[in-house]
Amino acid sequence: MRLSIWILAASALAVLLTGCSRETKTVDTSERVRIVRDGYGVPHVFADDRYGLYLGYGYAVAQDRLFQMEMARRSTQGLVAEVLGEAYLDYDIETRRLFSPASIRGQLAELNSEDMAVFAGFADGLNRWIGVIDDAPDTLLPLQFSELGFRPARWTPYDVAMIFIGTMNNRYGDFNTELENAAILAALKSRHGEQAGRDLFDLLNPRFTEDAPTTIPATDWSRPAYDSLAGSTPPSSASLDLAAVEPAPTSAGFSNVYLIGQAKASGAEAILVNGPQFGWFNPAYVYSVGLHGPDRAVVGNTPFAYPMIMFGHNDRIAWGSTWGASDIVDLFVEELNPDNADQYRYRGKAVDFERRTEQILVKGSEAVSLELLRSVHGPIIRLDGAAGVAYAKKRAWDGEELATLLAWLRATWAGDWEEWKAEASRSAINVNMYYADVAGNIGYFHGGKFPRRQPGHDNRLPVSGAGAMDWQGRQSVDLANPHVLNPSTGFLANWNNKPGEGVMNPDFFFYSWSRADRVDYLNEALAGMDRVTPDAAWELLTGSSYADVYAPYLLPLVEQALTGASDEALVEALQLLKQWNQQSVDEDNDGYYDQPATALFRRFVASLMEKVLKDDLGEVWPFYAGTGYPTALKPTAAGTNLPASLKAIVEAAAGAGDYDVFNGQEVDAVVRSAFAEAVAQHAEQPQLETATRPFGPKNFLGIPQALDRELITAPIEQNRGTENNMVVLRPGAIEGWEVTPPGQSGFIDPEGRRSPHYQDQFEMYHRFGRKRTWFYEADIEEQKRSETTLEYQR
């Protein structure tokens, strides 16, 4: 090894393992980018142009998270089997169905040079660090690569774009359970008859729900209700049964947020606290960074090191987001041409499918040739030759993936509400977006391009693709996208609840909006405070993380059912619940929830769900049987939320719906019976083992991003963000805080030595601690623990 290479490798390893560095020099040119790291290893990148800024960003990310990013690149493009073998072939096949590489490359080709500099600079930064590794693999190659037997690939601007597109668009923006819905409806009709089956389906998966709490007060924004389905075109009669579909997860990407405006904030003009619930992973799902370049300086954190910071602030405004859940994706049933399998019927004509063939490389096996189809409505996700149909998925954001990413990026450079809202309105995916500024204004925009469906289109079910049910363009932003600046309440809160009055429910069988909604916890807490300090805003995390979000809706039913009860065991159990603070904690760390009421109540929930719904649902029951609570053996995917089945019971108990899930019995009698069963179970086992929180080595797509032995576990699951961040806004003095567990870096060297920032935020997170996110250059210099200088050619 040449001496210069040895010095560079030694300096680089010092950064990764000790946080110390000398200036490194790679090209003799006049442009420079500085990367300054603070005491938690967070890089702050300083450059005079976008290319240099993102060159430094990519370089820092590669130092900290190269294996995670490599596997994210492969996860989002269906390239996993190439390095991990045949076990991931089906995953790669399904992933490749979700997007068109030609479309993404075409969007990239249309970018101007300034926008392309973002993607090119980021890719070149990753590649520059990979080049350093190539010169010194024995000291710098992350351990995961050597143990799994492959090397990191070189990056392109396309790869950088696909990290965002493959996670935000193709996954979080692509949820759709219309096939499952159709199978569930068919099974319910078979069990109960046409009308009763439809009524039960409507209760479980309502198109609208009255009295659901909204993020925007009804007096501040509302829209007329959508059309009814009277006289509608029936869904396709294509054969579907439960055996043909897989039950979807009981949760998706959830999140919470609350913002306090000037009229209610104390010690600040505005406060924003965000907790995106993506799931819990090692390395961390998000990456912290400061970008100080030619546009506004921004700091914060973002999933998978997206080119834009999803949770953060600049010198004027702060922003955050939660999953919006609303429906921007539909399935269209294409009728196959019986005389030509390469065609489908559209507007009275036989039309050729668009086809592309891809090769999937498989480690240890032959490559697999895959033919993918697309109709005028979108990619074909399921082909049912026996029924003579194909199912096409139409997404409102299709073709606008990069426009959405760039809108989010430009929103981080905004200086006021109007600038920010203009960019938010360009986002084509269904994500809630939040705003606060140094003047004390707070705002909300429910993102997404919402289609104008044909009258009578039941968005919960597949519809004919023959042409009559085609979308009729996009609804206007003012009508379809709830938004508000400075709500009358003085605060905003969201926990994936209904955005505004008149908005249609999501079309997922496992998730709906209801009068029973966990956001009530946040709304009631904030409404009960005359003024909210930053410390009080942060402390609200503790209560919401341990709160039983079901209790406010079910305990009144128990109290009503036991009015005048004489059974001593039932009365004592009711008193136990009434004295409960509805918090589920393990403060003595003995592995069991401290209060017996937690165990009793959770057993009651399970008993009630089974008694009310199991007989009615029959073979559909497994789709709805989960209580949503974590257990010692099975943590939640993204936090605790009332499942659709429980919401249906609450709605039915309040008199909603046309199907009697209580089968002619009084509600009180059914509740009393379920409670008695729970009390008997509780007498036998009064304790409940604490559900722990693993931070898993697979990403949220189920693909390894670390070694199995890198699993780490917190002693109790908390119903909170994957990360939590807070921005306190004052004129000229914005202050940011965050905790992003386990730590900033996932680097492990070939000898097994871990970065000091591998999990230095793990205990902090569990204890509801937080660290500063430095913004001002003087503070960054004061906190500096290392500095790297890269030279590059503009």
Side-chain angles (χ1 to χ4, degrees):
M1 181 182 292
R2 298 190 312 272
L3 180 60
S4 61
I5 296 299
W6 185 90
I7 293 172
L8 178 59
S11 176
L13 188 61
V15 174
L16 298 175
L17 294 180
T18 70
C20 299
S21 172
R22 304 173 190 170
E23 178 176 299
T24 63
K25 211 172 182 182
T26 58
V27 184
D28 185 19
T29 61
S30 59
E31 303 295 336
R32 298 199 310 166
V33 54
R34 294 172 59 232
I35 305 171
V36 177
R37 291 184 182 265
D38 68 17
Y40 282 93
V42 175
H44 288 266
V45 185
F46 294 84
D48 293 330
D49 64 13
R50 286 190 198 172
Y51 177 84
L53 187 69
Y54 282 89
L55 176 80
Y57 186 9
Y59 190 87
V61 169
Q63 288 181 309
D64 294 333
R65 303 281 187 89
L66 186 58
F67 186 74
Q68 181 190 35
M69 293 295 287
E70 171 72 17
M71 297 314 297
R73 185 184 73 85
R74 293 183 175 279
S75 298
T76 53
Q77 296 180 48
L79 302 170
V80 181
E82 180 181 2
V83 295
L84 297 186
E86 193 171 4
Y88 292 92
L89 177 60
D90 288 344
Y91 172 86
D92 283 351
I93 290 172
E94 292 308 310
T95 296
R96 295 193 191 200
R97 292 191 201 281
L98 296 177
F99 71 100
S100 166
S103 174
I104 306 306
R105 295 186 191 281
Q107 293 172 53
L108 279 166
E110 293 176 359
L111 296 182
N112 61 42
S113 59
E114 280 294 288
D115 288 338
M116 177 54 79
V118 171
F119 302 97
F122 201 113
D124 288 350
L126 284 155
N127 291 335
R128 181 171 292 196
W129 179 251
I130 292 172
V132 175
I133 291 175
D134 287 344
D135 289 329
D138 292 342
T139 56
L140 296 180
L141 182 69
L143 179 66
Q144 299 93 338
F145 285 104
S146 57
E147 290 216 359
L148 293 174
F150 67 99
R151 297 291 289 269
R154 290 303 199 269
W155 286 67
T156 68
Y158 173 83
D159 296 322
V160 175
M162 280 303 300
I163 297 294
F164 176 88
I165 293 166
T167 53
M168 289 306 301
N169 291 82
N170 296 343
R171 294 292 176 171
Y172 285 126
D174 203 37
F175 282 121
N176 180 282
T177 67
E178 290 178 27
L179 284 177
E180 292 91 339
N181 296 348
I184 288 168
L185 177 59
L188 295 177
K189 286 182 176 180
S190 176
R191 187 175 183 85
H192 299 287
E194 180 74 22
Q195 189 59 53
R198 166 69 73 162
D199 290 343
L200 180 52
F201 176 77
D202 287 341
L203 181 64
L204 293 165
N205 188 354
R207 195 162 181 251
F208 297 100
T209 305
E210 300 294 335
D211 301 322
T214 56
T215 294
I216 305 177
T219 54
D220 294 346
W221 188 95
S222 65
R223 59 155 294 158
Y226 283 76
D227 61 290
S228 72
L229 294 176
S232 66
T233 303
S236 167
S237 59
S239 174
L240 281 170
D241 57 52
L242 293 176
V245 296
E246 292 290 334
T250 55
S251 64
F254 295 124
S255 309
N256 64 29
V257 71
Y258 43 95
L259 300 87
I260 299 94
Q262 187 179 46
K264 204 172 179 68
S266 174
E269 297 301 308
I271 305 167
L272 181 154
V273 180
N274 207 168
Q277 291 178 265
F278 296 109
W280 292 266
F281 310 95
N282 186 26
Y285 189 91
V286 295
Y287 185 80
S288 299
V289 67
L291 300 176
H292 308 261
D295 307 296
R296 269 195 164 92
V298 296
V299 300
N301 65 73
T302 194
F304 290 116
Y306 291 163
M308 30 63 62
I309 291 177
M310 200 167 181
F311 312 101
H313 69 89
N314 61 33
D315 64 331
R316 296 285 303 165
I317 72 169
W319 56 87
S321 63
T322 62
W323 183 46
S326 49
D327 187 11
I328 57 174
V329 179
D330 284 334
L331 294 189
F332 285 81
V333 185
E334 315 292 12
E335 181 186 347
L336 301 178
N337 182 355
D339 299 321
N340 185 343
D342 294 333
Q343 297 179 325
Y344 61 101
R345 306 292 299 179
Y346 181 67
R347 297 193 180 279
K349 297 180 180 180
V351 180
D352 290 339
F353 282 109
E354 179 184 326
R355 294 174 180 268
R356 79 176 193 270
T357 301
E358 297 191 3
Q359 293 291 315
I360 301 180
L361 301 180
V362 182
K363 182 179 181 180
S365 185
E366 295 292 325
V368 174
S369 181
L370 175 66
E371 186 175 60
L372 298 167
L373 306 180
R374 185 180 180 94
S375 77
V376 68
H377 298 109
I380 301 301
I381 63 163
R382 178 179 167 83
L383 189 66
D384 189 344
V389 298
Y391 295 90
K393 180 178 281 191
K394 187 168 181 62
R395 293 85 67 90
W397 46 259
D398 199 351
E400 299 192 45
E401 294 92 335
L402 274 186
T404 295
L405 191 164
L406 290 171
W408 284 26
L409 174 61
R410 294 188 182 109
T412 70
W413 302 336
D416 60 31
W417 165 255
E418 292 301 328
E419 290 180 5
W420 180 88
K421 179 174 172 287
E423 297 300 340
S425 67
R426 294 185 178 100
S427 172
I429 59 177
N430 55 345
V431 174
N432 294 315
M433 303 173 75
Y434 305 92
Y435 167 95
D437 66 29
V438 293
N441 300 301
I442 58 172
Y444 164 62
F445 188 90
H446 181 66
K449 293 197 172 183
F450 293 90
R452 286 196 297 115
R453 296 180 172 92
Q454 293 282 6
H457 181 164
D458 188 338
N459 64 298
R460 299 169 296 178
L461 301 166
V463 293
S464 169
M469 298 304 289
D470 282 4
W471 290 352
Q472 301 298 296
R474 179 189 181 182
Q475 297 182 54
S476 72
V477 169
D478 286 341
L479 181 66
N481 297 83
H483 54 276
V484 68
L485 179 67
N486 295 327
S488 56
T489 52
F491 68 88
L492 288 164
N494 180 277
W495 211 340
N496 310 112
N497 54 290
K498 190 173 181 177
E501 194 65 33
V503 175
M504 187 166 58
N505 273 3
D507 64 344
F508 319 127
F509 77 82
F510 59 86
Y511 184 77
S512 65
W513 293 321
S514 164
R515 74 190 70 209
D517 198 294
R518 59 184 178 173
V519 75
D520 284 339
Y521 183 93
L522 300 176
N523 282 328
E524 291 173 9
L526 292 168
M529 301 180 195
D530 291 333
R531 304 283 284 183
V532 184
T533 66
D535 284 346
W538 187 263
E539 287 167 7
L540 183 54
L541 286 177
T542 304
S544 60
S545 296
Y546 292 130
D548 190 298
V549 293
Y550 305 4
Y553 313 104
L554 298 183
L555 278 182
L557 295 181
V558 178
E559 291 188 58
Q560 173 64 33
L562 294 183
T563 300
S566 58
D567 187 306
E568 185 175 336
L570 297 187
V571 172
E572 287 182 1
L574 175 60
Q575 284 302 117
L576 182 68
L577 292 184
K578 290 173 71 173
Q579 294 165 6
W580 180 35
N581 65 359
Q582 299 179 22
Q583 297 276 301
S584 297
V585 299
D586 180 18
E587 292 182 349
D588 60 7
N589 296 312
D590 67 347
Y592 294 91
Y593 290 106
D594 291 344
Q595 299 189 56
T598 294
L600 172 60
F601 186 74
R602 293 188 181 185
R603 289 173 179 133
F604 163 68
V605 169
S607 179
L608 181 68
M609 288 173 55
E610 185 166 333
K611 283 185 178 294
V612 174
L613 291 176
K614 187 174 183 178
D615 59 333
D616 293 297
L617 297 186
E619 61 180 329
V620 171
W621 170 244
F623 284 73
Y624 291 95
T627 65
Y629 285 120
T631 69
L633 298 177
K634 187 177 182 181
T636 67
T640 303
N641 197 2
L642 289 85
S645 48
L646 196 58
K647 290 181 178 181
I649 292 172
V650 173
E651 292 292 331
D658 295 321
Y659 185 91
D660 180 14
V661 292
F662 300 103
N663 300 321
Q665 299 182 70
E666 293 293 330
V667 175
D668 287 352
V670 177
V671 172
R672 190 162 51 246
S673 175
F675 190 64
E677 182 174 273
V679 170
Q681 294 170 353
H682 189 69
E684 295 181 6
Q685 177 52 268
Q687 289 185 304
L688 182 65
E689 193 173 351
T690 306
T692 58
R693 165 43 62 199
F695 286 65
K698 293 184 177 181
N699 63 29
F700 83 105
L701 301 170
I703 304 303
Q705 62 167 16
L707 301 173
D708 286 345
R709 64 178 179 272
E710 293 183 70
L711 170 74
I712 54 179
T713 303
I716 188 170
E717 177 167 324
Q718 299 163 338
N719 192 16
R720 61 185 292 201
T722 300
E723 62 88 28
N724 281 110
N725 66 87
M726 178 171 69
V727 184
V728 180
L729 297 106
R730 308 177 185 94
I734 295 184
E735 190 176 283
W737 301 84
E738 68 177 10
V739 57
T740 60
Q744 178 71 13
S745 177
F747 178 72
I748 305 177
D749 82 352
E751 300 299 321
R753 293 176 295 178
R754 297 180 174 186
S755 162
H757 307 300
Y758 182 86
Q759 64 179 77
D760 58 347
Q761 297 178 58
F762 187 66
E763 184 69 14
M764 178 192 298
Y765 177 83
H766 175 62
R767 301 296 181 188
F768 296 96
R770 62 185 190 262
K771 66 179 181 67
R772 284 292 300 274
T773 53
W774 304 107
F775 176 75
Y776 299 101
E777 189 166 359
D779 292 330
I780 294 168
E781 289 298 324
E782 184 179 339
Q783 298 297 321
K784 180 169 65 177
R785 298 296 182 273
S786 72
E787 178 174 337
T788 301
T789 302
L790 303 176
E791 296 189 357
Y792 65 97
Q793 192 163 17
R794 191 190 292 266

